[in-house]
């Protein structure tokens, strides 16, 4: 067991096992914990970005309700599997046929990635939820609750998860550094928090891949493994552009993208974050923000990356020279 843990991926190794270990999401955890204490709960919907504790909370609920027999009473399905809602119906039917073990009057069905279901599939899901309400509680998980039809939302207690705050990410970094005996410089910690953007899974994965290279985690190592350019390099590109050095800015942009293996979308997000720190007047900053939004949209629609990025850089140069 200890052996197995040594090689485990950290997102599993450091997955909270109890309500008290879940960072952030305080109000959600308190309400859900109360359901568990009463051994009674409504259907629930957990919505929010990746890696913030949605699946983790569902598993903790099952462990607390069912103890050692949680696996028999907890069915985890992914709504975005190829066969979609049909497979969900068959599996739910099978699972719901037998009663829950122990003194809890229902079993739990955890349905991940519900926003991948079409509206028709969601209608089918709604009927399935109604059919098995006596024996099962559903916990639905999605990134965007706006993609879920109202009749499902109205049958659930809806909980909106937030990105994990910097202080909590800091605690997670410190804990892992301590348990894995890593040496993480203060700048590297900031870099880890920066690249994770509130996503604990990403934080833990980047840390683990750094460790495969060195137990001394530095800022440079973090940025190179996270496929994120160092913010100061992006700032340099933009400073060149606004000081009328378009050609230099363009070649540095291309070098940076190749060096870190970044796509146009990746780099645009980083460019956008630096705009407020540029040495130009406020109105121009706002125009550039607007431009970033437009270029980002064009890229998601499949426009040529380099044409679009040059267009964006040109806007920076124009903003700097007028
Ligand atoms: N709130 C949290 N507190 C502590 N660790 C967390 C938290 N959220 C996530 N983690 C860490 O990140 C890993 C992934 O989290 P989880 O599976 O709960 O993400 P999720 O919200 O379900 O994301 P997705 O939408 O991608 O399914 C966990 O195993 C755990 O290690
Ligand atoms: Mg999940």
């Amino acid at each position: 067991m200890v052996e197995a843990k040594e090689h485990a991926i950290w997102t599993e190794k450091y997955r909270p096992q109890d309500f008290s270990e879940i960072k952030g999401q305080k109000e959600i955890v308190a309400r859900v914990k109360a359901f568990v204490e009463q051994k009674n709960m409504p259907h629930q919907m957990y919505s929010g970005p990746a890696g913030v504790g949605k699946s983790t909370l569902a598993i903790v609920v099952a462990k607390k309700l069912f103890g050692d027999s949680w696996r028999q009473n907890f069915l985890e399905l992914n709504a975005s599997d190829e066969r979609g809602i049909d497979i969900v119906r068959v599996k739910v039917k099978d699972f719901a046929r037998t009663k829950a073990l122990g003194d809890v009057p229902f079993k739990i069905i955890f349905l991940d990635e519900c926003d991948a279901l079409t509206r028709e599939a969601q209608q089918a899901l709604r009927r399935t939820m109604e059919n098995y309400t006596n024996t099962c509680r559903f916990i639905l998980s999605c990134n965007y609750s706006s993609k879920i039809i109202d009749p499902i939302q109205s049958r659930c207690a809806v909980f909106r998860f937030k990105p994990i705050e910097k202080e909590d990410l800091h605690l997670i970094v410190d804990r892992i550094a301590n348990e894995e005996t890593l040496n993480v410089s203060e700048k590297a910690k900031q870099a880890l928090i920066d690249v994770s953007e509130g996503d604990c899974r990403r934080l833990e994965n980047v840390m683990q891949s750094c460790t495969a290279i060195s137990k001394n985690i530095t800022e440079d190592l973090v940025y190179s493994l996270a496929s994120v350019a160092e913010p100061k390099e992006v700032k340099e590109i933009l400073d060149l552009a606004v000081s009328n050095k378009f050609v230099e800015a363009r070649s540095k942009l291309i070098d940076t993208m190749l060096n870190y293996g970044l796509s146009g979308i990746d780099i645009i997000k980083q460019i956008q974050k630096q705009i407020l720190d540029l040495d130009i007047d406020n109105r121009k900053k706002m125009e550039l923000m607007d431009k970033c939004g437009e270029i980002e949209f064009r890229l998601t629609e499949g426009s040529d990356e380099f044409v679009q990025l040059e267009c964006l850089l040109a806007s920076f140069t124009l903003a700097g020279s007028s």
Side-chain angles (χ1 to χ4, degrees):
M1 196 59 206
V2 174
E3 178 78 5
K5 271 215 155 180
E6 277 309 300
H7 302 287
I9 76 161
W10 289 0
T11 52
E12 288 309 323
K13 184 172 175 184
Y14 294 104
R15 193 193 282 282
Q17 302 297 320
D18 197 315
F19 293 114
S20 62
E21 291 174 24
I22 297 176
K23 297 273 186 293
Q25 331 296 5
K26 287 279 169 282
E27 285 156 35
I28 298 176
V29 171
R31 283 187 59 196
V32 171
K33 192 173 172 208
F35 294 151
V36 168
E37 280 160 2
Q38 294 154 17
K39 294 199 192 319
N40 188 9
M41 62 182 210
H43 298 310
Q44 291 156 62
M45 188 165 94
Y46 298 167
S47 88
V52 296
K54 302 183 300 297
S55 299
T56 301
L57 181 59
I59 295 170
V60 168
V61 166
K63 286 186 171 164
K64 294 292 146 190
L65 278 173
F66 304 112
D68 286 342
S69 61
W70 73 275
R71 283 179 195 280
Q72 291 92 298
N73 293 299
F74 182 79
L75 176 68
E76 180 173 358
L77 297 171
N78 194 314
S80 70
D81 280 352
E82 334 79 277
R83 284 162 299 172
I85 194 67
D86 290 328
I87 196 87
V88 168
R89 275 203 299 227
V90 173
K91 290 200 170 163
V92 166
K93 198 171 164 194
D94 252 19
F95 178 72
R97 214 171 21 220
T98 57
K99 282 194 140 183
L101 306 171
D103 58 351
V104 182
F106 53 83
K107 293 176 161 183
I108 296 176
I109 297 168
F110 178 60
L111 194 53
D112 214 348
E113 294 192 42
C114 284
D115 36 11
L117 293 172
T118 62
R119 294 182 70 86
E120 293 71 38
Q122 290 187 33
Q123 291 294 355
L125 172 62
R126 163 196 172 178
R127 284 190 293 278
T128 305
M129 288 172 75
E130 279 164 358
N131 288 342
Y132 298 103
T133 297
N134 285 336
T135 47
C136 295
R137 293 293 177 277
F138 284 79
I139 300 179
L140 311 179
S141 170
C142 63
N143 293 130
Y144 301 101
S145 65
S146 57
K147 292 191 181 163
I148 307 295
I149 59 173
D150 284 344
I152 290 187
Q153 295 207 36
S154 69
R155 280 170 176 75
C156 296
V158 178
F159 296 102
R160 293 178 207 288
F161 286 60
K162 298 190 189 70
I164 306 298
E165 309 229 339
K166 293 199 158 93
E167 300 76 58
D168 286 325
L169 294 171
H170 218 285
L171 296 175
I172 295 177
V173 173
D174 286 342
R175 166 171 181 216
I176 297 180
N178 188 26
E179 295 204 14
E180 305 288 335
T181 57
L182 308 175
N183 185 7
V184 189
S185 74
E186 200 48 47
K187 278 194 167 164
K189 281 183 195 168
Q190 288 310 326
L192 283 163
I193 291 168
D194 178 42
V195 302
S196 74
E197 300 188 309
D199 173 344
C200 290
R201 183 189 296 112
R202 181 157 164 79
L203 175 83
E204 291 169 3
N205 282 338
V206 173
M207 264 187 107
Q208 189 166 19
S209 44
C210 287
T211 314
I213 296 181
S214 166
K215 287 206 155 202
N216 262 321
I217 301 186
T218 61
E219 186 186 16
D220 289 356
L221 186 57
V222 172
Y223 284 117
S224 70
L225 288 178
S227 298
V228 172
E230 292 208 29
K232 64 172 187 284
E233 285 183 54
V234 177
K235 176 79 168 30
E236 278 165 29
I237 296 168
L238 301 184
D239 284 340
L240 284 170
V242 294
S243 51
N244 208 16
K245 294 186 179 133
F246 179 80
V247 176
E248 290 92 328
R250 183 181 60 185
S251 82
K252 189 162 169 51
L253 174 69
I254 293 171
D255 288 349
T256 307
M257 287 175 71
L258 293 176
N259 191 14
Y260 291 96
L262 302 179
S263 71
I265 303 263
D266 297 332
I267 195 86
I268 265 213
K269 290 196 175 141
Q270 290 201 257
I271 289 175
Q272 205 252 15
K273 282 190 196 165
Q274 296 290 333
I275 291 177
L276 291 180
D277 291 336
L278 289 174
D279 191 17
I280 50 177
D281 71 50
N282 244 339
R283 184 168 180 86
K284 294 205 172 108
K285 290 180 187 174
M286 296 306 112
E287 285 166 6
L288 290 172
M289 285 280 183
D290 185 47
K291 193 78 188 168
C292 268
E294 186 183 329
I295 303 286
E296 196 247 7
F297 179 72
R298 291 186 198 162
L299 288 178
T300 58
E301 294 288 299
S303 278
D304 183 273
E305 286 198 342
F306 286 97
V307 173
Q308 292 305 327
L309 289 172
E310 286 196 10
C311 165
L312 182 60
L313 272 190
S315 306
F316 279 84
T317 303
L318 288 172
S321 62
S322 58

